[in-house]
Amino acid sequence: SVVDLDIAVSSGLGAGTLSTELMAADGASFTDRLLSLPNLNAVYSAVLLDELGRGGLGHVFLCPGSRCSALTAAVAASSVPHTMVTDERGAGFAAIGFARASGRPAAVVVTSGTAVANLLPATVEAAADRVPLLLLTADRPAELRDTGANQTVAQVGMLGPLRWFKDVPPPAESEPLVAWLADAAYAAACTLRQPQGPVQLNLQYREPLAPSAAAWPAALLEAPRVASWLASSSPFTVYSTAEGPPGEEVVAPLAALLAGARCGVVVAGAMRSDAGRRAAAALAARLGWPLLADINSGLRKPGAAGESEGATTPAAAVRSVPLYDLLIGAEEVAPPDVVLMAGGRLVSKRLQAFVASRSRACILVEPHGQRHDPSHSVSHRVEGSIDAVLMALAAVLPPRAPEATPQPLLALASASAALDAALDEALAPAVREGAEPPPGTCTSTCAEAWVARHVCAVLARREAATGTRADPAGSRGGGARHFLFCSSSLPIRHLDMYCAVAPEVLSNRGASGIDGILHAALGAALASPQGGCTCLVGDVAALHDLSALPALAAAAPPLTVVILNNGGGGIFHYLPIASHQVFTPYFDTPHTHSFDSVCRGFGLPYAAASTAEAFEAAYGAALAGGSLSLIEVFCHKEETHRTHQQLLGVARAVARRVLASGARDSALRGGAV
């Protein structure tokens, strides 16, 4: 099929929306509005913004500054959704959060100088995880560069990992307006085509920067291509991508590999479409293989397997193993001989090692062609639409015969279900009644693992009850869905290890940094105004992004921030450095800070919880309120590590009990491989 980018993003602020909204504001046409603008900077900026809107721009995050005055004024005069953010670094992450939740690019507008340098962390994340991002950076004109002019730095080449960069000459009668239009069209298209990622337009502006009167020739708008653009609602250039199923020369050898496997698994990495998720589940069911779904795959959502186009996949037919991380290290589990992996990066190191351990073939399917093979184990790399490729494979594979010998790793699905129940029992907060906890249960008053499971369970039940799903086309679209934005470090690992069911999880796993988490959650919440967002974040990551608090107070999005305050860098307790004398204070970074005063200082609703019961009440009230709320959960990093060790013991016991008989019956220890 042929997909036009302007059509693919037509929901919401799609093609021509900005022009239409501008005209509706006062009855004037967009051309009339342009003719009323005071100077060339204003005209070129308004045209640029309108073209970006036609190309799919969903939101603009504005940072204060002088050199970007014309672009800021153009955004302020338009109907494009926009949010003021003081911190440029945070604005970049807010745009990433919006794009993750909506699937559409957001733009960041900044002034010149170090403001641009602050966009580098977000640029790195967007490039590493292929997130559409538009960076609109104002700059001094070329004649002021390398002269010692104030606030003038070398912005060209400053933000390295870009999909495309253009140093745009300043508006002038000699600078064709069509050049700005063509650049804007290409910039928007570059953010959305594979591999998606960050694009920078470095916009040079001369004085006057303010909307001061300076005569300009109206004939600029009469050039044939400009006049044609003004009379339409389409992008200046329509970029199209041809997509379709792979040919037989690709499918046949892969199908033979899959059909010949004796001990195979399907691994679902990070995915961005329900169509891809359904196809992965359908193929796993067709093969009779277990499905190991990363927390970012979206396949732990209620009903995520659903029905794949062209093949009915009952939920019971999909043997899902969501709690694989705690199980695959058991000695009863043999490594697979063939792995089919669909989607992006995996959270679990154990799963990466499991995939690479002794498999003779590893097939990786992703929509882009960038390398993704940290363990050097990929034997077949397919670039294409995940749902199209997996459906093509399912179409040529015969259904597994009922009398066929079961794949030995299917026992992992039963073990995962048993482990889920065992975790409930082990994490039961006995402290509610003040009773002594039974043997084998965790003693924490509010264990981080329990908080993660509770948040996921509540949001999964909420999603199942409301029936919120992604749009039929399979891409994200915000709307009424409630997202869970999770920080890197321990929070995302809690979700991946302990949560068998979960809502749609968003996380910055491109570079896996902890910076910009609160800003990113703000962006995600703005992309889903009816559904809202929960942000699960650690104390160190929250401290790192405190500049988000004034932006949260001003925007007041439907966002519940849950801060797991364990008094420092808890993740380092899981690393070898923990056994060395230098560990404290240089790695576990102990502190006694709480977020109460700073939240109240910015007028943010705040609640504290140190017991499971208190957190249940606070989180329930926050979701019922549907507005901005911050909940600080007090826990202890040493106890969190002890709890993890206890839960590993629970998992080993479940593996021995559930998998031992399967090992005898199916020669799981290695005879199957």
Side-chain angles (χ1 to χ4, degrees):
S1 62
V2 175
V3 179
D4 288 347
L5 290 178
D6 63 308
I7 296 174
V9 297
S10 61
S11 59
L13 279 177
T17 306
L18 298 184
S19 296
T20 302
E21 291 180 352
L22 280 167
M23 182 171 58
D26 58 6
S29 70
F30 184 51
T31 303
D32 291 338
R33 293 292 301 273
L34 289 176
L35 289 169
S36 70
L37 293 176
N39 56 49
L40 284 176
N41 286 344
V43 172
Y44 279 61
S45 298
V47 163
L48 177 85
L49 178 66
D50 194 83
E51 175 58 25
L52 292 175
R54 299 185 191 201
L57 177 66
H59 203 97
V60 177
F61 292 91
L62 294 167
C63 299
S66 176
R67 188 59 54 171
C68 57
S69 296
L71 196 50
T72 299
V75 174
S78 77
S79 296
V80 62
H82 56 275
T83 302
M84 290 293 299
V85 179
T86 304
D87 177 9
E88 292 90 355
R89 178 193 58 84
F93 282 104
I96 285 178
F98 181 92
R100 287 194 184 281
S102 68
R104 301 169 60 205
V108 184
V109 174
V110 302
T111 190
S112 59
T114 58
V116 180
N118 277 297
L119 296 175
L120 181 58
T123 304
V124 169
E125 175 63 29
D129 211 22
R130 294 167 292 280
V131 180
L133 175 64
L134 273 167
L135 305 170
L136 306 179
T137 58
D139 199 357
R140 261 57 175 178
E143 63 267 18
L144 290 182
R145 295 175 181 172
D146 199 24
T147 65
N150 184 47
Q151 205 172 320
T152 305
V153 300
Q155 294 180 196
V156 175
M158 182 181 287
L159 306 178
L162 296 163
R163 296 294 180 262
W164 186 60
F165 169 86
K166 180 65 180 289
D167 190 26
V168 182
E173 293 182 30
S174 58
E175 173 66 14
L177 196 55
V178 291
W180 276 55
L181 284 166
D183 286 345
Y186 188 62
C190 282
T191 66
L192 291 168
R193 72 181 185 185
Q194 296 294 345
Q196 297 181 343
V199 167
Q200 181 187 4
L201 291 178
N202 193 58
L203 305 165
Q204 301 175 41
Y205 286 104
R206 294 190 178 98
E207 299 282 355
L209 302 177
S212 308
W216 59 275
L220 284 173
L221 305 182
E222 297 170 3
R225 283 288 280 123
V226 176
S228 174
W229 176 79
L230 287 170
S232 76
S233 60
S234 298
F236 185 78
T237 304
V238 177
Y239 289 88
S240 301
T241 303
E243 296 177 349
E248 183 182 358
E249 72 281 1
V250 174
V251 173
L254 299 181
L257 260 178
L258 298 175
R262 290 175 290 173
C263 188
V265 294
V266 174
V267 175
M271 291 192 190
R272 298 179 183 177
S273 79
D274 276 9
R277 295 167 186 140
R278 291 191 297 267
L283 183 60
R286 186 83 167 177
L287 290 165
W289 292 5
L291 174 64
L292 281 58
D294 182 272
I295 191 65
N296 286 313
S297 69
L299 273 162
R300 300 192 198 180
K301 296 189 299 180
E307 292 184 349
S308 180
E309 214 176 299
T312 301
T313 311
V318 181
R319 302 302 301 275
S320 183
V321 189
L323 300 181
Y324 54 79
D325 186 84
L326 295 172
L327 293 168
I328 55 180
E331 61 181 12
E332 292 81 5
V333 180
D337 65 335
V338 176
V339 176
L340 187 145
M341 182 173 157
R345 301 169 188 271
L346 303 174
V347 170
S348 168
K349 282 187 176 180
R350 273 186 286 269
L351 182 54
Q352 294 176 42
F354 184 67
V355 166
S357 53
R358 278 167 48 195
S359 59
R360 62 182 174 87
C362 178
I363 303 166
L364 174 61
V365 182
E366 285 197 89
H368 60 86
Q370 291 188 312
R371 192 178 186 192
H372 176 201
D373 186 19
S375 58
H376 313 295
S377 58
V378 172
S379 60
H380 298 73
R381 179 71 161 82
V382 184
E383 177 185 355
S385 165
I386 290 176
D387 56 303
V389 173
L390 300 190
M391 287 169 59
L393 286 170
V396 300
L397 285 166
R400 192 169 183 82
E403 66 275 8
T405 303
Q407 284 278 13
L409 288 176
L410 281 177
L412 283 170
S414 300
S416 182
L419 178 57
D420 190 34
L423 291 179
D424 264 344
E425 186 175 341
L427 289 167
V431 294
R432 295 179 192 221
E433 304 299 329
E436 285 296 319
T441 60
C442 301
T443 57
S444 174
T445 55
C446 199
E448 292 183 42
W450 178 86
V451 172
R453 282 174 62 85
H454 180 72
V455 167
C456 282
V458 168
L459 295 181
R461 286 196 300 268
R462 176 185 173 122
E463 181 165 313
T466 58
T468 52
R469 294 289 184 269
D471 64 90
S475 60
R476 289 173 176 157
R481 286 174 299 148
H482 190 102
F483 293 103
L484 174 55
F485 202 102
C486 188
S487 176
S488 292
S489 196
L490 272 184
I492 191 67
R493 289 172 171 83
H494 290 330
L495 296 189
D496 197 51
M497 283 191 289
Y498 305 130
C499 300
V501 295
E504 183 153 356
V505 175
L506 308 176
S507 64
N508 287 340
R509 295 297 294 174
S512 298
I514 63 167
D515 44 349
I517 302 300
L518 298 181
H519 276 100
L522 163 64
L526 291 172
S528 187
Q530 286 78 47
C533 180
T534 292
C535 176
L536 188 65
V537 61
D539 51 326
V540 177
L543 287 169
H544 196 284
D545 204 24
L546 281 181
S547 66
L549 298 186
L552 291 174
L559 172 65
T560 299
V561 178
V562 178
I563 302 175
L564 298 173
N565 188 348
N566 59 24
I571 195 170
F572 291 100
H573 282 269
Y574 297 74
L575 302 179
I577 193 65
S579 62
H580 294 267
Q581 189 173 0
V582 73
F583 180 63
T584 300
Y586 298 102
F587 291 89
D588 66 341
T589 57
H591 69 82
T592 58
H593 306 308
S594 76
F595 293 84
D596 183 359
S597 297
V598 69
C599 286
R600 298 190 190 283
F602 285 108
L604 298 170
Y606 169 89
S610 55
T611 66
E613 195 167 36
F615 178 72
E616 273 187 345
Y619 189 56
L623 291 181
S627 55
L628 178 62
S629 179
L630 286 92
I631 305 171
E632 184 173 12
V633 183
F634 292 100
C635 34
H636 304 283
K637 54 183 180 291
E638 294 82 6
E639 192 162 341
T640 294
H641 186 245
R642 285 196 296 270
T643 296
H644 175 67
Q645 297 303 316
Q646 289 177 304
L647 297 181
L648 282 177
V650 170
R652 283 192 291 268
V654 168
R656 285 194 298 270
R657 173 167 55 85
V658 177
L659 298 178
S661 59
R664 289 191 298 271
D665 298 342
S666 304
L668 187 58
R669 283 183 181 273
V673 176

